[in-house]
Amino acid sequence: MSTIAASPGISGTASALRRLYFARFGFAIVWALAMFTTASNLGPLAVTLLVLYPLFDVAAAVIDARASRTTGSPALLYVNIAVSLITAIGVAIACASGIPAVLRVWGAWAVVAGLVQLIVGVTRRKMGGQWPMIISGGISVLAGASFVVGASAGNPTLTNAAGYAIPGGIFFLISALRLGRAAKGN
């Protein structure tokens, strides 16, 4: 049996990340369920949800950066904040052009955000609970590429974008659960 000898900085960061990851899980599942109801067209609800998701990512990255200051540089989280903010604006603009444009912006964001998540997870490995984040980052890169390719399909829909949130949410849940020992300082 292995134990994680966590410093007070790691323990505090793990505890904050655990709460954040639980919140991200809940948001992702609720968002996906709402998005599935409107994934076939770009009505007002779909547009609102599509802009809201990257804005939620901005808020989560801000919280993560604040919590992570004691355990390392939050520079990549600042990159994620900027990319997600640009994405929210880009998605809002793309909605005027149709689903293919939205999928291209969404896909590019998923690739970049996935790379950031993967790298941040690798740098936090010693904290514990990061393998789900590393895997999720890799899956996000692949999913993003599929969104960009899917934008050229005959009748593209936002269903895959809605479905993208579910595995991400599940990975946040698994990571939150795995961070339990580090949060307790064991």
Side-chain angles (χ1 to χ4, degrees), residues 27-159:
F27 177 82
I29 299 304
V30 169
W31 182 89
L33 293 175
M35 192 65 205
F36 275 127
T37 66
T38 185
S40 61
N41 63 43
L42 279 175
L45 178 59
V47 171
T48 301
L49 289 169
L50 288 165
V51 172
L52 182 62
Y53 198 92
L55 289 177
F56 184 84
D57 196 54
V58 168
V62 167
I63 293 167
D64 192 335
R66 287 182 180 160
S68 302
R69 286 188 186 147
T70 60
T71 58
S73 171
L76 282 173
L77 295 169
Y78 295 140
V79 169
N80 193 57
I81 291 166
V83 168
S84 293
L85 193 55
I86 291 166
T87 298
I89 295 165
V91 165
I93 293 168
C95 283
S97 296
I99 291 175
V102 171
L103 287 173
R104 288 183 188 98
V105 173
W106 195 267
W109 173 56
V111 168
V112 175
L115 286 171
V116 169
Q117 183 179 13
L118 190 150
I119 295 167
V120 169
V122 167
T123 64
R124 290 179 174 169
R125 268 189 342 267
K126 291 180 182 177
M127 182 186 311
Q130 294 304 302
W131 280 108
M133 295 294 91
I134 294 167
I135 295 167
S136 179
I139 290 171
S140 184
V141 170
L142 296 174
S146 77
F147 298 149
V148 172
V149 170
S152 299
N155 190 20
T157 70
L158 299 169
T159 303

Side-chain angles (χ1 to χ4, degrees), residues 18-30:
R18 191 166 195 249
R19 287 188 305 274
L20 176 62
Y21 291 176
F22 279 128
R24 291 193 74 159
F25 162 72
F27 177 82
I29 299 304
V30 169

